[in-house]
Amino acid sequence: MLDTDTLLDRASGTFLPVRSTSLKGLFATFDEAYAAAHLWVDVHCQTADEHRLAIVPASFDPVLDRHVLIYGVLCGQP
């Protein structure tokens, strides 16, 4: 979600902090990530334009035991 350090958790369908030990924030494909984001928007937004979501490259650092947003926190405004 823009302006946050949270990722959509595959298991719960909620946004969790990137440092959460229970976060399952990586999707195998773009299509999986898009479908999950679309479902979240359907449930939580009155209009599709208010979602503030972005699908970004991410990975998991096994040494630090946490997710890493490749682009860092993306801002909704330039």
Side-chain angles (χ1 to χ4, degrees):
M1 183 174 291
L2 296 173
D3 299 313
T4 73
D5 69 343
T6 61
L7 294 175
L8 186 58
D9 180 54
R10 288 189 334 267
S12 68
T14 61
F15 281 86
L16 298 175
V18 294
R19 294 174 192 239
S20 171
T21 57
S22 63
L23 175 63
K24 304 290 184 235
L26 301 180
F27 292 84
T29 66
F30 177 88
D31 289 340
E32 277 185 33
Y34 181 84
H38 193 277
L39 179 62
W40 188 90
V41 168
D42 285 348
V43 172
H44 294 93
C45 299
Q46 290 185 6
T47 66
D49 293 339
E50 67 183 67
H51 63 75
R52 297 179 37 236
L53 302 181
I55 297 174
V56 298
S59 67
F60 188 83
D61 185 329
V63 174
L64 296 176
D65 194 33
R66 68 180 182 101
H67 290 76
V68 178
L69 297 174
I70 302 304
Y71 294 130
V73 174
L74 297 177
C75 297
Q77 300 290 327

